[in-house]
Amino acid sequence: MSIKRLICAIGAALILTSCGTQLNSSFLMSGGQKLAQAATLTDEQMAAYVAQTVTQLDKENTILPETDAYVKRVRRMTKGLTEVDGTPLNFQVYKTNDVNAFACADGSVRIYSGLLDVMSDDEALGVIGHEIGHVAMRHTRKQFQRALMTSALRDAVISTGGKVAVLTSSQLGDLGEVLLSKNYSRKQEYEADDFGYAFLKAAGKNPWAMAMAFEELEKLSSGQASAGQSAAGAAISNAFSDHPATADRIARMAERATADGFKRPAE
């Protein structure tokens, strides 16, 4: 559903809830103002809300220190990757068996140690590039905006006067779920795959790693992982469950890499 259609739907819902009861004009005005503010959030306001949400997620997870081997590996992998569309990137590693990563509109990129356990550097970098692609193409912004607009029905999140509200723990939890759920459209997923492919090429990597990363995810989701991957495989995030068919994505990336003259690296 488009942002415009969602505004109309929520606006209609606000009106319909008044039918058969005494009209509460102040409530309707409050809800309408929140809808309008959610629909016109600036990039700076969006980044501020995302930053609050990421801060909450950082508190809820174990962030590995700079001395940790996982973090040293990520620093090596991402050396020179400092920004996307002018937004500075900051990378942190969560200690968890979950196989996942996410990127946010404020430049925060969070990588789960479980992802690094099952993928090579280039494969993991392809997944990271894919997640950054969702940010660069504003997919995450649209998701987040929809969540803020929906919360307007519950008389939640946005303050008056164009200021950024301080969100409650409950609201932050709801928005954190939005960041982690990754319910993107098929078209958006393919766009992010293509961004990840170009991301690897720009970093001087063999973009075959995109196809190979998806192969690893397919093995994990189908229970075909090796014994050494069993812990991570058992905890694979459902964040990838709504993505397009993994086999299709493998084929797309493999065909593109082959057409571009790249050879599949030895495993």
Side-chain angles (χ1 to χ4, degrees):
M1 180 182 290
S2 68
I3 296 295
K4 183 177 180 180
R5 289 177 63 190
L6 187 56
I7 293 172
C8 293
I10 295 175
L14 284 169
I15 294 171
L16 288 172
T17 56
S18 68
C19 295
T21 63
Q22 183 176 358
L23 180 65
N24 186 331
S25 59
S26 62
F27 172 78
L28 290 176
M29 183 175 293
S30 173
Q33 287 174 339
K34 291 176 187 293
L35 284 171
Q37 290 165 351
T40 58
L41 283 174
T42 66
D43 287 344
E44 291 76 15
Q45 289 172 318
M46 183 65 65
Y49 281 117
V50 171
Q52 287 187 55
T53 308
V54 173
T55 297
Q56 180 75 8
L57 289 171
D58 286 350
K59 290 178 180 177
E60 295 170 354
N61 289 277
T62 300
I63 297 179
L64 292 174
E66 292 296 317
T67 54
D68 188 89
Y70 285 110
V71 178
K72 290 180 179 179
R73 182 180 167 194
V74 167
R75 296 290 177 256
R76 183 179 67 250
M77 288 164 47
T78 60
K79 185 177 180 180
L81 303 175
T82 58
E83 66 175 47
V84 59
D85 288 344
T87 300
L89 297 172
N90 68 90
F91 299 89
Q92 298 289 352
V93 181
Y94 288 168
K95 176 59 177 174
T96 170
N97 284 331
D98 289 354
V99 178
N100 201 4
F102 65 90
C104 305
D106 69 335
S108 297
V109 183
R110 299 297 181 260
I111 302 138
Y112 293 23
S113 59
L115 180 76
L116 299 171
D117 285 334
V118 300
M119 292 190 181
S120 69
D121 286 2
D122 289 359
E123 290 166 358
L125 196 60
V127 172
I128 293 167
H130 170 97
E131 296 302 330
I132 291 174
H134 283 306
V135 173
M137 289 176 283
R138 302 171 74 83
H139 300 160
T140 53
R141 187 186 194 284
K142 292 173 183 177
Q143 262 197 324
F144 214 74
Q145 188 177 43
R146 286 190 179 96
L148 289 171
M149 290 164 66
T150 301
S151 68
L153 273 174
R154 301 190 301 272
D155 198 30
V157 296
I158 302 174
S159 68
T160 59
K163 298 178 181 178
V164 175
V166 177
L167 305 182
T168 66
S169 295
S170 175
Q171 291 162 355
L172 289 171
D174 289 344
L175 294 175
E177 286 298 315
V178 172
L179 290 179
L180 298 176
S181 65
K182 304 181 184 179
N183 292 317
Y184 300 114
S185 70
R186 183 184 184 90
K187 179 176 181 289
Q188 288 173 332
E189 290 295 356
Y190 282 148
E191 287 175 347
D193 288 351
D194 291 337
F195 186 97
Y197 182 97
F199 184 82
L200 285 172
K201 283 185 66 176
K205 309 296 184 181
N206 185 338
W208 253 101
M210 285 296 296
M212 296 170 73
F214 293 143
E215 287 174 351
E216 293 301 327
L217 291 173
E218 187 172 51
K219 289 177 186 176
L220 289 168
S221 62
S222 64
Q224 297 175 10
S226 65
Q229 298 172 328
S230 58
I236 186 170
S237 171
N238 65 4
F240 297 100
S241 62
D242 292 327
H243 286 196
T246 307
D248 292 343
R249 302 171 78 185
I250 293 170
R252 284 186 77 247
M253 295 293 97
E255 289 170 5
R256 183 172 176 183
T258 300
D260 286 347
F262 292 95
K263 293 184 179 180
R264 182 186 178 110
E267 297 182 50

